[in-house]
Amino acid sequence: MSNCDLCARHCNIDRSASKIGFCKMTDEIRVARAALHMWEEPCISGENGSGTVFFTGCSLRCVFCQNNNIANGDTGKSITIERLSEIFLELQEKGANNINLVTPTHYVPQIIKALDLARSNGLHLPIVYNTGSYDTVETIRLLDGYVDVYLPDLKYVSSELSLRYSHAKDYFTIASAAIAEMFRQVGPPQFEGDLIKKGMIVRHLVLPTHTEDSKSVVRYLYETYGDDIFISIMNQYTPLPHVSSYPELTRAVTTLEYDEVVDYAIDLGVENGFIQEGETSKESFIPPFDLEGV
């Protein structure tokens, strides 16, 4: 925390002295919501829900982010490492299938301490690491033995798109290296019944007008990992008011666009995958960040 280098922004600032870098967070943990979450992939949410902890701040802050109020640091409550460990145990007591850490990169050292404390007090659930993937390989290595299921995004292959929408021209280089380290740690998926207990699900959100880059993402993942990972192709992009200066993003993905990407994955031979059906592009799909469970 005194020379923060957890994400690929390499801010190298002293967060322990209340200074902030790109993620806008000091070393003080801030959480916006901790609750059972039903809207993850079926093998993560199951019937009981995923014990999801939404951390405030983000190392990417994509212009189209559906959780922009927490990514920008506008919502969240400051808590201690001890309180975070208690939250993990409370979610377990509520029947969560797993502990799901959302946008956790900038808090990895504190999360590790909280997990150690919670495990010493009886935490036994699988840990899910839910990230935009702008993590350094070194940060992911710190999590070896702590994370059971990696749930990373692979947002783009195109450096032009990643620069325009995520302020990160090197996104694909950074994310693909981080994902490779994640896979090294957990390997092919392992299930207990219908629930994943170990492995990796890589998410890709299809954006309007950018189906060719989506195909590049799917092709890279399948050619690299085959069916040793799951690929989750998402159609839930929701055009919120803050994308008004990006005309190409001011509408939802069409059925034709989404089906084009899914059909491409099928034609490649992808068998381990998830798709979304029905009306998912709406604000009601976004959880309320009301400090529940914090």
Side-chain angles (χ1 to χ4, degrees):
M1 292 292 104
S2 62
N3 187 31
C4 188
D5 204 27
L6 292 169
C7 80
R9 299 293 177 188
H10 301 294
C11 297
N12 297 109
I13 50 90
D14 188 356
R15 289 171 60 196
S16 65
S18 297
K19 295 180 180 179
I20 60 172
F22 190 92
C23 69
K24 295 191 174 184
M25 295 293 109
T26 68
D27 67 342
E28 194 171 53
I29 304 166
R30 291 185 66 195
V31 173
R33 179 180 171 87
L36 298 179
H37 192 57
M38 300 304 301
W39 301 335
E40 307 288 33
E41 284 75 6
C43 63
I44 292 178
S45 288
E47 294 184 2
N48 293 343
S50 177
T52 307
V53 181
F54 289 90
F55 292 95
T56 304
C58 183
S59 60
L60 278 174
R61 297 210 308 276
C62 305
V63 298
F64 52 81
C65 182
Q66 297 173 73
N67 300 342
N68 67 302
N69 56 335
I70 60 171
N72 291 331
D74 299 330
T75 301
K77 179 181 178 181
S78 296
I79 62 172
T80 64
I81 289 171
E82 291 74 19
R83 176 59 191 145
L84 182 58
S85 73
E86 292 172 356
I87 287 172
F88 295 157
L89 292 168
E90 289 166 5
L91 290 169
Q92 180 171 272
E93 290 172 4
K94 292 176 181 177
N97 293 315
N98 44 61
I99 301 298
N100 186 350
L101 309 169
V102 181
T103 321
T105 306
H106 47 294
Y107 291 125
V108 162
Q110 297 96 319
I111 288 169
I112 288 173
K113 291 179 180 179
L115 286 171
D116 282 336
L117 184 57
R119 284 175 171 173
S120 71
N121 287 304
L123 180 68
H124 56 77
L125 296 178
I127 305 302
V128 179
Y129 188 83
N130 188 334
T131 176
S133 301
Y134 205 53
D135 308 65
T136 66
V137 170
E138 292 75 15
T139 296
I140 299 301
R141 284 178 182 152
L142 294 174
L143 294 162
D144 197 356
Y146 285 93
V147 172
D148 302 284
V149 178
Y150 279 104
L151 189 59
D153 294 333
L154 189 56
K155 297 176 182 291
Y156 330 91
V157 168
S158 165
S159 59
E160 292 181 6
L161 294 184
S162 64
L163 178 62
R164 178 166 172 77
Y165 298 143
S166 298
H167 330 287
K169 187 176 182 179
D170 60 352
Y171 173 83
F172 177 74
T173 300
I174 298 298
S176 58
I179 289 170
E181 171 60 19
M182 296 175 196
F183 181 75
R184 184 196 69 79
Q185 291 180 21
V186 297
Q190 299 176 29
F191 284 79
E192 187 175 297
D194 294 330
L195 298 176
I196 189 168
K197 295 298 182 179
K198 193 169 186 178
M200 186 163 68
I201 302 171
V202 183
R203 289 172 161 175
H204 174 69
L205 177 67
V206 179
L207 295 174
T209 77
H210 294 310
T211 54
E212 290 308 309
D213 195 62
S214 291
K215 292 176 186 178
S216 295
V217 168
V218 172
R219 182 172 63 251
Y220 167 78
L221 289 172
Y222 189 65
E223 289 179 349
T224 305
Y225 300 103
D227 286 315
D228 284 338
I229 66 168
F230 278 80
I231 302 173
S232 183
I233 304 174
M234 307 170 76
N235 72 348
Q236 69 188 55
Y237 172 72
T238 301
L240 299 175
H242 58 268
V243 300
S244 58
S245 58
Y246 299 85
E248 70 276 22
L249 298 182
T250 56
R251 64 167 176 82
V253 172
T254 66
T255 300
L256 184 63
E257 286 174 321
Y258 183 67
D259 287 349
E260 181 181 339
V261 177
V262 171
D263 289 344
Y264 179 79
I266 293 170
D267 290 343
L268 275 180
V270 175
E271 293 186 1
N272 285 348
F274 294 97
I275 61 172
Q276 291 181 314
E277 296 178 335
E279 184 64 33
T280 58
S281 175
K282 52 187 176 182
E283 292 185 48
S284 61
F285 194 76
I286 303 169
F289 300 114
D290 52 5
L291 306 182
E292 179 182 350
V294 182

